[in-house]
Amino acid sequence: MLTSDLIVRRLSEWGVTRIFGYSGDGNNALMGALQRAGTPEFVQARHEESAAFMAVGHAKYGGGVGVVTATQGPGAIHLLNGLYDAKSDSAPVVAIVGQQQTDTLGSGYQQEVDLHTLFQDVAVGFAQQLASPTQVPLAIDRAFRQALAHRGPAVVIVPQDVQEAEAAEPGQEHGHMPSSPVSTAPEVRPAEADLDRAAEALSPSRRLTILVGQGAANAWPQVEALAERRGAAVAASLLGKPHVDERAPYVAGTMGHLGTPESAVVLQECDALLIVGSDDPWTEYYPPPGSVPAVQIDIDPVKLGNRHPVDVGIAGDAAASLEGLLARLPEAEDRGWRERTVQAVDAGRRVAEARAAVEAAPGRVNPEAVFHEWNGRLDDDALVALDVGSSVYWYARQLRRGPVGGAHLSSTLASMGCSVPYGIAAKLLHPGRPLVAFTGDGALQMLGINELITVSRLWPGWEDPRFVLVVLTNGDLAEVSWEQREMEGQPRFDRSQDLPGFDAAAYARQLGLAGLTVTHPAQLGGAIEEALAAGRPAVVDVRTDPQIPLLPPLYQDRAKLEGIREAIGREDAERRSHALHLLDQYAGIELRLLGLEDDA
């Protein structure tokens, strides 16, 4: 048995059933071991970056530790983006990376890169280059334990000669380190004294807002109970969105620049804030620092007070901590805040509906209408994968579901190109469930085109073939175009923002998938139904209008409107007229329905 065989055996002992990656001379011995063992399954991506995203998706969609492998040099470097995604969004991933032979290291050999240094920043506590076969069990075990304990990537670098050497289990002699493939999550109970202090801080509140993040993934019943008892409003971070019931009349949706206006209302008007499992970086959308009592619950004490000053930090499991608060907080007698919250949420939903109905340019569709059309068409078991770009805005503001989880994107790193790799990982984990992925044409051209080839290869093995990729094709890197106008006060820079034309539907048909094109909002419903009934994966290429505004909630930052308007005013006449018309429509809808005209 070779060391590579021992690696594969150890991965199986950790319960690994699937490894994503790409082969090369640096990990060929590992490929041979996988072939000999027959398990775990090897999933070949079209690019190592995609393979890393697949491993992250595997972890995020509930598969446990995601595992990815790559060769040395360029293959290893390509992993970095996906591994940083895992680190940023707290997803456990282990990378098994090849390296040149140990006796060549330091000579500037072909494809030689100092991988240990390369991975030091991204690894959460463990990046180890092996020098002998006896290190293998300990290194694999520590990598998994670190990835699970610290919720991020760990890296094991294995030179070719070590992979090809005869396997050797560590003994009991001096200098050998036996290890076991075991790990368990601790039950982190909140301290009673912290719960007492938190209850004391929150009890006087009459306008409590609860901000929910992904750390509350299994705590919706407790969040709901506390919100009912205190008449509280609920807002969510982008990562927390899948874990709240957005159908509830007091749930104000996603906070932040890409969030809903009603979330800005409940965060700016509250008199106390409870943060549950969130580390959301949109600090300008929190209440002003020190203006209201704030309590934060997080299983990781490092996160306490990280984004917003808090009076009390509770290190503990979200559900257990909320149960402790429920036992200590009295029921609110004044329901005026609940009435205000319901009013704001109702107004915000009318804003979303009105904006989705705004007419786009001829031959184009309002992208908000695309997501609005999917409301009610996604069963609770449907999986969702999101790419980064303007599609995230429309997802955050238009798609409302229960606390079903199963919707993921590269949130904190915000890396384009993740949706199709994420979707592949989700379907491999849950082949009997439908999946819908949303992407812009920029992200599609970056990585999605390549990984659709992988979809065409894998889908015949899926129990449920429904894999619908919705492409918002507008020929523009739209989010950045609007950032240029809003953040920099610059007109759109055509040379940096224009995208080449690409017929995604025709490309899908070339791959043997279904391909549909939508150029009018009246076609949306029929195209969605046809895609879901196609009996194979489908690409729905929706030609959307790039001039639909990406505005922050105006309740927070209405002053930027004039700067945006001035920047658009320096663009070409045809685009300027249409963009300004849409900008005025969008701003007017929000100001009117939120009753803010007098403040405009």
Side-chain angles (χ1 to χ4, degrees):
M1 186 169 68
L2 304 182
T3 300
S4 54
D5 296 302
L6 182 57
I7 292 171
V8 170
R9 189 181 76 184
R10 203 63 162 193
L11 293 174
S12 294
E13 290 170 350
W14 274 101
V16 176
T17 58
R18 188 169 292 115
I19 299 174
F20 304 94
Y22 208 84
S23 61
D25 57 347
N27 62 353
N28 271 341
L30 182 65
M31 294 298 110
L34 287 169
Q35 184 180 32
R36 288 189 291 275
T39 185
E41 174 191 9
F42 179 70
V43 179
Q44 182 200 71
R46 311 275 59 76
H47 191 281
E48 291 91 352
E49 181 180 357
S50 295
F53 277 136
M54 290 176 191
V56 179
H58 179 91
K60 287 184 174 182
Y61 286 97
V65 179
V67 180
V68 64
T69 184
T71 188
Q72 72 256 332
I77 294 167
H78 287 159
L79 294 178
L80 282 174
N81 205 42
L83 296 184
Y84 272 106
D85 182 36
K87 181 179 182 179
S88 299
D89 281 356
S90 302
V93 169
V94 169
I96 311 293
V97 184
Q99 177 60 296
Q100 287 290 2
Q101 297 188 42
T102 52
D103 58 6
T104 70
L105 297 180
S107 68
Y109 200 72
Q110 184 184 33
Q111 291 193 332
E112 182 191 346
V113 172
D114 184 354
L115 296 182
H116 188 259
T117 299
L118 182 76
F119 289 115
Q120 281 296 302
D121 182 59
V122 73
V124 287
F126 193 81
Q128 181 67 46
Q129 181 164 297
L130 305 189
S132 73
T134 55
Q135 292 178 278
V136 164
L138 175 64
I140 298 295
D141 294 346
R142 286 198 66 192
F144 273 81
R145 284 195 285 266
Q146 291 282 351
L148 288 165
H150 296 287
R151 309 300 297 179
V155 181
V156 181
I157 304 159
V158 194
Q160 294 175 27
D161 51 320
V162 176
Q163 291 181 49
E164 296 163 355
E166 186 176 347
E169 295 271 11
Q172 197 175 1
E173 57 267 36
H174 179 73
H176 282 221
M177 297 290 173
S179 181
S180 298
V182 295
S183 180
T184 186
E187 184 178 353
V188 183
R189 306 292 300 181
E192 297 292 323
D194 291 339
L195 291 171
D196 291 339
R197 291 171 54 230
E200 183 179 355
L202 297 178
S203 289
S205 71
R206 300 167 63 129
R207 303 190 307 276
L208 174 64
T209 291
I210 305 170
L211 175 60
V212 175
Q214 68 171 344
N218 298 309
W220 173 248
Q222 290 78 15
V223 171
E224 182 181 36
L226 186 60
E228 292 290 356
R229 173 168 294 184
R230 298 296 298 170
V234 175
S237 69
L238 187 57
L239 286 171
K241 177 180 167 70
H243 307 300
V244 301
D245 190 347
E246 291 191 291
R247 301 165 299 189
Y250 55 84
V251 174
T254 308
M255 67 96 76
H257 186 280
L258 47 68
T260 62
E262 58 267 36
S263 72
V265 171
V266 301
L267 283 165
Q268 294 302 306
E269 295 187 13
C270 67
D271 69 356
L273 177 65
L274 174 60
I275 305 169
V276 186
S278 175
D279 193 38
D280 196 289
W282 290 111
T283 54
E284 65 268 38
Y285 289 88
Y286 290 84
S291 63
V292 302
V295 172
Q296 184 175 0
I297 298 169
D298 206 289
I299 201 166
D300 182 357
V302 173
K303 302 286 177 61
L304 298 175
N306 192 44
R307 303 295 187 190
H308 184 76
V310 298
D311 299 277
V312 182
I314 301 173
D317 171 77
S321 301
L322 290 168
E323 291 282 1
L325 285 178
L326 276 164
R328 289 167 168 80
L329 288 171
E331 187 164 351
E333 297 179 4
D334 182 357
R335 291 284 159 167
W337 178 236
R338 172 55 58 86
E339 292 173 6
R340 170 62 175 140
T341 299
V342 171
Q343 177 192 52
V345 170
D346 179 65
R349 292 179 181 177
R350 285 186 284 119
V351 167
E353 186 170 355
R355 284 179 165 179
V358 169
E359 188 175 342
R364 295 282 177 170
V365 178
N366 184 335
E368 294 213 48
V370 178
F371 284 84
H372 189 75
E373 190 71 34
W374 276 95
N375 271 322
R377 296 179 185 271
L378 291 174
D379 297 332
D380 283 352
D381 70 333
L383 302 162
V384 175
L386 271 298
D387 224 301
V388 169
S390 59
S391 56
V392 180
Y393 285 72
W394 319 135
Y395 159 72
R397 296 172 179 181
Q398 292 287 349
L399 201 61
R400 292 189 177 90
R401 304 177 73 197
V404 296
H408 294 286
L409 76 160
S410 173
S411 177
T412 311
L413 186 65
S415 178
M416 292 171 63
C418 62
S419 62
V420 181
Y422 272 24
I424 290 169
K427 283 295 287 188
L428 289 171
L429 267 175
H430 308 289
R433 296 169 63 178
L435 178 131
V436 180
F438 296 92
T439 183
D441 47 351
L444 179 76
Q445 293 177 25
M446 187 175 284
L447 275 181
I449 291 171
N450 293 337
E451 295 311 326
L452 276 175
I453 299 172
T454 307
V455 171
S456 72
R457 182 182 194 177
L458 295 176
W459 79 265
W462 296 338
E463 178 186 343
D464 184 331
R466 288 177 292 175
F467 184 113
V468 180
L469 177 63
V470 180
V471 184
L472 306 179
T473 299
N474 58 19
D476 183 22
L477 294 174
E479 183 177 12
V480 177
S481 292
W482 283 96
E483 286 172 345
Q484 288 172 349
R485 294 159 172 158
E486 178 193 345
M487 304 296 186
E488 309 300 330
Q490 299 174 177
R492 181 184 182 274
F493 181 29
D494 296 352
R495 192 175 290 267
S496 74
Q497 301 310 106
D498 286 344
L499 290 171
F502 179 76
D503 192 333
Y507 178 71
R509 292 191 293 271
Q510 186 179 11
L511 293 174
L513 312 178
L516 308 166
T517 302
V518 174
T519 59
H520 192 279
Q523 300 170 336
L524 277 171
I528 291 171
E529 295 300 328
E530 186 176 346
L532 291 171
R536 62 187 57 234
V539 171
V540 181
D541 185 0
V542 187
R543 305 302 168 88
T544 59
D545 189 340
Q547 304 310 326
I548 295 294
L550 274 70
L551 297 178
L554 297 185
Y555 192 91
Q556 171 71 18
D557 209 350
R558 296 188 299 279
K560 288 188 175 179
L561 265 179
E562 286 310 312
I564 296 172
R565 186 176 281 110
E566 191 277 332
I568 294 173
R570 289 185 280 139
E571 299 179 12
D572 71 82
E574 183 178 354
R575 183 166 61 225
R576 178 173 67 238
S577 175
H578 180 54
L580 287 173
H581 172 67
L582 290 173
L583 183 67
D584 289 340
Q585 277 192 283
Y586 259 58
I589 287 169
E590 190 166 68
L591 292 172
R592 184 179 71 255
L593 292 177
L594 291 179
L596 301 172
E597 294 101 327
D598 294 341
D599 300 329

